[in-house]
Amino acid sequence: MIINFTLNGRPRKMDVEPATLVSELLRETLNLTGTHVGCDTSQCGACTVLFNGDAVKSCTLLAPSLDGAALTTIEGLSATSGSNRLHPMQEAFHENHGLQCGFCTPGMVMTAVALATRNPVPTEAEIRHGLEGNLCRCTGYQNIVASIMAGAVAMNAPAIGE
Amino acid sequence: MKSFAFHSPETVPDAFALLNDVSESKLLAGGMTLLPTIKQRLAEPAALIDLAKIPQLSEIAVDEDALVIGAMVRHVDVVTSALVRSKVPMLVHLASGIGDPAVRNRGTIGGSVANNDPSADYPAAVLALDAIIVTDRREIPASTFFTGLFETSLEPSEIITSIRFPIPSTAGYAKFKSPASRYAVVGVCVAKAGGSVRVAVTGSGPCVFRVPEMETALETSFEPAAIASIKIGAAGLNSDIHADAEYRAHLITVMAKKAVAAAIQGL
Amino acid sequence: MSSIIGIGKAPRRKEDFRFLTGRGSYVADMKRPDMTFGVFVRSPHAHAIVRGIDKTHALASPGVQAILTGKDVAADGLGSLPCGWGIHGTDGLPMKEPPFPMLAQGKVRFVGDMVAFVVADTLKEARAAAELLAVDYEVLPAVVGVLEAVRADAPLLFDDVPNNLCCDWELGDKAAVAAGFRKAAHVARLSLVNNRLIGNPMEPRAAIAEYDRGRDHYTLWTTSQFPHVVRFLMAALVLKLPEQKVRVVAPDVGGGFGVKQFHYGEEAVITWAAKKVERPIKWVADRSEGFVSDRHGRDHVTEAELALDENGKFLAFKVKTLANMGGYLSTFGPNIPTNLYGPLLSGVYTTPAIYCNVKVVFTNTVPVDAYRGAGRPEATFVLERIVDVAAAEMKIDRIELRRRNMIARDAYPYQTPVLVEYDSGDPLGCLEGALTAADAAGFGARKIASERAGRFRGLGFSTYVEACGLAPSRFAGRLGARGGLYESATVRVHPTGQVTVLIGTHNHGQGHETTFAQIVSDKLGVPFDSVDIVFGDTDRVQFGMGTYGSRSLVVGGAALSKASDKVIVKGKKIAAHLLEAGEHDIQFETGVFSVAGTDRRKSFAEIAGAAYVPHDYPLEILEPGLEEQAYYDPVNFTYPGGCHIAEVEIDPETGIVTLEKYTAVDDVGTVINPMIVAGQLHGGIVQGVGQALFENAVYDEVSGQLLSGSFMDYCMPRADHLPNMTVETHSTFCTHTPMGVKGCGEVGTIGSPAAVINAVVDALSHLGVHHVDMPATPNRIWRIIQNAAIPQAAE
Ligand SMILES: Cc1cc2nc3c(=O)[nH]c(=O)nc-3n(C[C@H](O)[C@H](O)[C@H](O)COP(=O)(O)OP(=O)(O)OC[C@H]3O[C@@H](n4cnc5c(N)ncnc54)[C@H](O)[C@@H]3O)c2cc1C
Ligand code: FES
Ligand code: FES
């Protein structure tokens, strides 16, 4: 079936087999392999993307549901922030050592961006609660929480020169 | 996943027509239960009828003395709804504890109620508030809706359109989460409507159930202390690697007390 | 500005950019032209005879390219999966080592054991065909627990392994221990279970294999912590291929923790199959598949006794353990509960006599092997728990009892009664530091506050030491290692003075691309940004043993340091020629070669340029080029250690244990990058906390099915389960590694389970509780409180 959607800020028209998960569409068809798959029970959050601005699990979303929607993946994140390098949340993860093996990272960053958009000044407890759908086996979460604290501040600060 | 057809009807009658005409078709709401089930090949529908494009199913409204929540209202919509917060704040608390943010961004009340997972949260609220499940053809009282493990009194091809929650004097929900899955090991919803109290328990049996002894005690005195000494029998309760039946039985009392305390605080 | 960033600094990581922008390259991300897809058919039974496999329907299924079974493996005369360690029993005889076929031969021995490999054009087709494969099983009774497995009437996994006993191993002086117990004023006893764990790196295992007929050459991309070892084991021992015909690449790997440091049957099968179908094949494990095929960890049943004199001095320590090996011997399997366990039972104490007996047992479960810490968390748990038990029974303060028995800082080097000699350490210093950092003094007030709220509060200590930097080869060889455990590094200086390092360790989250670049920047005085680290490809890197056992910096970093020294030595020769001075007059400092006492100097880049454009160069005595290689084999293990303090609160109504505070003060030797060390500690601690409070791999005792086979039932620690931790270092310096480093990858996981459980027991001590098994789940704690003799103090 034909679907029309916005992918990382650009319009896309695709012919998809309905029984396709968005994670599969991204990874297998679109070669956007930054969205990872870490489980088969919708529990790990490695596959998190922004669907009309909401963090959702792309492994539990069907390609046909994309019709008419806007999808942002980790690859498109910096493009949407107006900076040519890293989105402030990505920068904060870098600055605060919020990643080790990098596998959970795209999902963490996408969840973090959604969280900081809804809640510009999150507390540590709110961040920890907000991460309940994202597993990380490497970091013990401490530096991820610190990254999101810093990233939320940076995201919501007026950009220099604007 | 096996191939299936995908339909996006824009009205409830169209949805019904598709559901009725296409064999082995299933309704798709948030997909948070259905898609994992299909991925594990526990279900292999030939067609999915997506309810996402029927705007009327996503409405939240007050109708007389009831809060009416459309079947496609997502958990996150309940969490952020000022209307729900002002009328039945317990539902905000309940919805905010379902799964995780990504699950709440997709999962719907209609899907949850239709699915009737023994560890799901909403069924406890639906039963405790004596809600009415409104479908495309009738209104089903909560007391006859939940019939067993993943079983409801919905007919084949029947579509839930909304849930009518009578607005209670007060209500509270307390959940003991599985630290692994986030589902309820035990969830207790307590609702007081005038002089009558209903206590509904999820997570503990094959299906949500009420606890009459607690209801009677709370009708006399709406205080946690009123039920502190009521012990629930372990017979028939679920037992798994996370919680044995006796522990669940104990937790029912503990969570019921917390739910009453929450109700008193109006949370 | 690009500049020198050396040892002790915390530059942000070089590897971050690709991961943060979704541009990492994990195996599952890769595609090869004309690629097919493979699916493993796994046993649904814990123990069964495979009476026959009928391929007819499956072969006829659309898109199928090949279906391979144990019969095909046998027909091709392939070897079984090798075990890298051969230990010996009390009888002096070698362990029982039944073959571990890559696809089941006649019998399956655990749920998840591989029966067949199906290759098809698409993943869907491969799955569909796999479902059509008819395997005829005759189900046999299964045994999953060690206590049951050694009973006379237990089902036998292997006909020639009586009592399912792989090896009855011992260490230590039995007679000296008996003498110690005879003198004892008090004997503390403890029975415990060390729960089975599943490592679950977030990236599931995956592999792609490809065969090039033109060159008769194989390439395997695999999620491995040690590609060279995979190549060696697979080529030489399993597939019997010439090693130079096989390239193994482990690209970006999404966490390992031991789970990816074994040679798995999947790797051999897919490589072998790639030649049969003459197309690339890709296999990516589902998480559910990982649960029943990734090697598990821990799983001990232990009885320990500690003899003390009337002052609480430890006289002797005796430990008896049954260790679960699962259905077969995995790569390091039998080494973990023996050599990496027994020698750690001395801990930071001066116990003069120790005896340890370990029965290594086969069961119908996933093979058990190393998981972060591997053997050492188990040893630390037994020891640190029994010290608390003894303290409680003798009514001596837990800290005081530890102080009385600790090895003093000036007593190093210290020879323990269980093989190892600690080179350096300061356990008391770590303890004092941790007491301060944890505000142990304020605990009493916090406990009272908790009691007022109806909660129990507990404080737990773990003063531990571990052996890492695996490993001195000669020593390991005596213990049964069948390979060496050195590491190699090549420092390739480019004509422009920039540097590429080729190293045999593998970076899968540890930040090597940053840490190793700091070492080179420091040593050679080149800008940090001018150093790139290459790893994980047997065609690019000379050789290597990979990353595990906290060895990368200790052993690999040492090789890198040595190779850098060689570059300087050669550079000095070139400089001497160019500066017309004697070689011994050349000094090298922060990237500049100079003639001592003069202003004649050449930069590192100028020397590199001269080496590659040798117009003015001592060609008579020196080869052009500037590239040096070093292999380093450590002379001893390193012994990081420290003190961890956990503070928990228990809600007696629900049994929920909340970790309120966690403090670690660790001696990891020289710290190259403190930011990365802290990150390693955070992650390691949380894995230990996971073992203590949440994680448990549970098998059904009758069916042998894994009951905790998904994240729905296997509880991984999540962000909202945890507090912020305080981690500090209190370092003494390793006396035998080039930079004084000790390693930090596993310390967190080794120290933490005991600290947490000691805190839980402390919180329940007023109820007469003296031990709590892991994980301390709410149900378990609630039950313990119910069963406690004394009524609840808080009510
Ligand atoms: C990781 C994770 C954690 C979760 N944790 C919790 C939790 O803590 N508590 C909890 O309660 N739930 C939890 N859930 C379940 C979640 O709340 C689901 O959203 C819910 O159970 C199903 O709603 P859905 O909208 O996703 O329905 P779907 O998955 O789309 O549908 C579920 C079933 O209901 C049927 N259906 C859907 N809508 C209708 C309708 N209008 N009329 C008739 N039939 C219909 C479908 O055909 C299907 O059979 C969790 C899910 C996940 C993936
Ligand atoms: S891959 Fe989507 S939640 Fe795990
Ligand atoms: S950084 Fe490895 S899983 Fe999070």
Side-chain angles (χ1 to χ4, degrees), chain C residues 133-403:
Chain C
L133 191 74
V135 186
D136 181 12
Y137 294 103
E138 178 187 330
V139 179
L140 302 173
V143 62
V144 299
V146 283
L147 292 171
E148 295 74 24
V150 293
R151 284 213 303 248
D153 58 349
L156 290 185
L157 272 79
F158 302 95
D159 294 341
D160 51 355
V161 182
N163 299 319
N164 296 310
L165 189 61
C166 165
C167 191
D168 190 356
W169 182 91
E170 66 178 358
L171 175 68
D173 187 339
K174 220 174 177 169
V177 167
F181 272 86
R182 280 195 297 274
K183 282 190 291 182
H186 182 80
V187 175
R189 293 192 173 80
L190 178 65
S191 301
L192 60 85
V193 173
N194 198 289
N195 45 326
R196 177 182 274 250
L197 302 179
I198 303 176
N200 283 321
M202 291 319 300
E203 177 204 29
R205 287 189 297 121
I208 297 176
E210 174 170 299
Y211 176 70
D212 174 353
R213 183 160 302 281
R215 294 192 298 138
D216 185 26
H217 186 275
Y218 299 80
T219 305
L220 170 69
W221 289 268
T222 179
T223 51
S224 180
Q225 300 174 223
F226 63 174
H228 287 87
V229 181
V230 169
R231 180 180 64 172
F232 165 70
L233 296 175
M234 180 175 80
L237 304 172
V238 183
L239 300 181
K240 303 183 179 163
L241 300 169
E243 254 189 283
Q244 87 280 10
K245 294 291 189 193
V246 181
R247 174 184 175 205
V248 177
V249 186
D252 286 329
V253 170
F257 317 113
V259 170
K260 295 170 182 168
Q261 68 173 61
F262 317 120
H263 172 37
Y264 280 94
E266 289 91 341
E267 294 168 325
V269 171
I270 198 172
T271 306
W272 168 62
K275 181 172 180 180
K276 298 208 179 282
V277 301
E278 274 202 55
R279 284 168 66 186
I281 309 173
K282 180 176 189 172
W283 161 75
V284 180
D286 290 339
R287 178 61 61 183
S288 310
E289 189 177 5
F291 268 98
V292 296
S293 65
D294 290 359
R295 303 302 177 240
H296 293 183
R298 318 281 192 260
D299 203 344
H300 288 191
V301 174
T302 293
E303 280 176 18
E305 291 178 87
L306 179 65
L308 304 94
D309 73 11
E310 62 285 358
N311 298 317
K313 276 292 260 185
F314 303 162
L315 299 173
F317 187 33
K318 190 157 67 182
V319 174
K320 277 198 263 167
T321 292
L322 286 163
N324 200 331
M325 276 292 100
Y328 301 93
L329 295 183
S330 171
T331 312
F332 293 88
N335 178 47
I336 308 304
T338 55
N339 294 318
L340 290 183
Y341 177 68
L344 272 297
L345 291 170
S346 193
V348 293
Y349 309 116
T350 56
T351 319
I354 297 172
Y355 174 78
C356 169
N357 170 240
V358 181
K359 290 189 169 54
V360 179
V361 179
F362 290 113
T363 64
N364 294 112
T365 61
V366 171
V368 178
D369 205 320
Y371 166 58
R372 199 172 193 173
R376 292 149 290 166
E378 295 92 311
T380 301
F381 189 71
V382 178
L383 179 59
E384 288 303 299
R385 271 281 42 244
I386 204 166
V387 168
D388 265 23
V389 170
E393 289 173 351
M394 295 185 74
K395 305 204 164 33
I396 301 174
D397 177 73
R398 297 171 288 169
I399 308 279
E400 174 55 25
L401 186 64
R402 284 178 168 80
R403 281 201 185 105

Side-chain angles (χ1 to χ4, degrees), chain B:
Chain B
M1 283 192 298
K2 289 257 165 75
S3 302
F4 48 72
F6 191 91
H7 304 282
S8 300
E10 292 180 8
T11 65
V12 174
D14 287 353
F16 168 74
L18 284 161
L19 198 55
N20 211 29
D21 294 351
V22 186
S23 67
E24 309 221 16
S25 57
K26 261 191 161 311
L27 293 175
L28 173 69
M32 290 293 108
T33 295
L34 187 55
L35 294 178
T37 314
I38 295 175
K39 278 163 73 179
Q40 286 165 56
R41 279 163 289 166
L42 300 172
E44 293 189 336
L48 291 185
I49 321 290
D50 182 21
L51 298 176
K53 301 225 159 127
I54 309 177
Q56 118 212 26
L57 296 182
S58 296
E59 285 166 8
I60 303 178
V62 171
D63 179 20
E64 293 172 9
D65 287 340
L67 177 69
V68 183
I69 302 184
M72 285 299 287
V73 169
R74 302 172 305 159
H75 308 327
V76 66
D77 302 325
V78 170
V79 174
T80 52
S81 160
L83 194 56
V84 178
R85 188 174 292 275
S86 69
K87 300 295 175 193
V88 194
M90 176 274 289
L91 288 174
V92 173
H93 170 68
L94 177 145
S96 71
I98 296 178
D100 57 58
V103 168
R104 297 193 284 274
N105 283 336
R106 293 292 298 160
T108 66
I109 188 168
S112 179
V113 171
N115 193 51
N116 191 21
D117 187 302
S119 321
D121 296 299
Y122 269 125
V126 170
L127 189 60
L129 293 184
D130 201 13
I132 287 167
I133 291 89
V134 182
T135 76
D136 58 342
R137 66 200 67 165
R138 57 182 171 147
E139 301 200 339
I140 312 172
S143 53
T144 62
F145 183 81
F146 302 107
T147 53
L149 184 70
F150 293 105
E151 295 284 336
T152 67
S153 54
L154 285 176
E155 292 164 4
S157 306
E158 188 165 4
I159 302 172
I160 299 176
T161 53
S162 65
I163 316 286
R164 270 183 84 91
F165 291 100
I167 296 169
S169 331
T170 184
Y173 182 68
K175 172 182 186 179
F176 186 95
K177 272 187 191 199
S178 154
S181 74
R182 332 303 282 170
Y183 276 92
V185 172
V186 171
V188 180
C189 188
V190 174
K192 186 171 179 341
S196 94
V197 174
R198 292 163 74 102
V199 177
V201 178
T202 187
S204 306
C207 174
V208 61
F209 60 85
R210 287 169 61 185
V211 189
E213 310 96 285
M214 288 190 176
E215 294 176 353
T216 317
L218 289 169
E219 279 166 4
T220 313
S221 158
F222 197 75
E223 287 293 333
I227 51 171
S229 58
I230 298 182
K231 299 243 181 301
I232 306 295
L237 297 187
N238 298 341
S239 187
D240 56 35
I241 58 173
H242 306 292
D244 58 43
E246 268 182 60
Y247 179 54
R248 272 197 168 84
H250 163 76
L251 284 179
I252 291 173
T253 307
V254 175
M255 291 299 124
K257 285 194 298 179
K258 289 185 199 284
V260 173
I264 291 168
Q265 282 176 36
L267 290 176

Side-chain angles (χ1 to χ4, degrees), chain C residues 120-133:
Chain C
D121 291 337
T122 68
L123 184 56
K124 265 189 192 175
E125 288 168 339
R127 286 206 174 122
E131 278 182 26
L132 295 174
L133 191 74

Side-chain angles (χ1 to χ4, degrees), chain C residues 497-534:
Chain C
Q498 276 121 5
V499 178
T500 298
V501 169
L502 307 147
I503 195 155
T505 53
H506 191 280
N507 182 21
H508 38 276
Q510 298 88 342
H512 296 169
E513 287 160 64
T514 303
T515 308
F516 290 161
Q518 285 179 257
I519 294 174
V520 173
S521 182
D522 198 277
K523 292 228 110 177
L524 301 184
V526 294
F528 172 72
D529 290 343
S530 301
V531 187
D532 268 20
I533 311 296
V534 170

Side-chain angles (χ1 to χ4, degrees), chain A residues 99-105 136-139, chain C residues 202:
Chain A
L99 65 154
Q100 290 185 23
C101 78
F103 197 80
C104 71
T105 309
C136 173
R137 196 53 150 167
C138 298
T139 64
Chain C
M202 291 319 300

